[in-house]
Amino acid sequence: MSTDRTRPAGRRDQGGPGSVPPQRSRRQQPHRPQRPHQWFAERLLAVLSGQRPVHWMLGHTIGEAYDQLAELAPSTPLGSTRGSRPVLRHCRGAQPATGVVEAFASIAAGDRVRAMAFRLEQGPDRRWRCAAVELGGERLTAGAPGPR
């Protein structure tokens, strides 16, 4: 017979009367890191909707992409409509060549859905950078207003 009076004979755990049993969590899925195009889609949405400043993308763009974003950001082409904050619905990417990803995303704000396409290029340092952005089929170029 056990000399420990706080737990039944044969019980080996350290819990006693009044102790809280450990929580049984749902089966945990291994954490899968975001793909580069998903990460960039969220960042581009934040800048083009006015949630983040354009300099947030500094160092994550190459070529004219940063200038395009700097020109467009003040007009917030993906801004909220009727109080609905825009959200990323879908994002898919394709790799037509090594070190290149061409991606598209659909963005919903209220009852409106917009399309965004962008191109990522991987530099010699293995970091991905945005090289081009398009909204709704029109290329975003510096000096030209975006679609509204």
Side-chain angles (χ1 to χ4, degrees):
M1 184 153 171
S2 175
T3 59
D4 187 355
R5 306 247 182 221
T6 61
R7 60 180 178 242
R11 186 168 171 180
R12 296 177 188 265
D13 65 340
Q14 296 302 313
S19 67
V20 179
Q23 295 283 334
R24 290 189 182 184
S25 62
R26 284 184 255 160
R27 190 171 164 190
Q28 297 278 332
Q29 296 293 328
H31 178 68
R32 201 168 94 187
Q34 272 188 326
R35 293 190 170 139
H37 59 275
Q38 294 166 326
W39 187 84
F40 271 92
E42 289 176 3
R43 282 189 163 252
L44 290 168
L45 172 60
V47 169
L48 295 174
S49 65
Q51 297 171 34
R52 292 286 190 171
V54 71
H55 68 264
W56 197 47
M57 291 296 291
L58 196 59
H60 298 291
T61 56
I62 56 173
E64 294 181 21
Y66 183 80
D67 295 333
Q68 294 169 351
L69 290 172
E71 188 76 27
L72 286 165
S75 67
T76 61
L78 296 177
S80 60
T81 58
R82 294 185 216 127
S84 298
R85 187 176 180 167
V87 294
L88 186 64
R89 285 179 26 161
H90 301 286
C91 184
R92 303 278 190 271
Q95 195 168 5
T98 303
V100 175
V101 172
E102 292 181 347
F104 64 92
S106 63
I107 295 139
D111 58 352
R112 238 180 130 184
V113 177
R114 299 284 306 269
M116 175 174 65
F118 53 98
R119 178 183 174 95
L120 303 177
E121 295 178 4
Q122 194 173 33
D125 59 357
R126 309 283 296 154
R127 290 182 48 199
W128 291 98
R129 291 178 180 86
C130 183
V133 181
E134 293 182 19
L135 285 180
E138 295 185 32
R139 185 171 184 83
L140 301 180
T141 57
R148 295 192 183 224

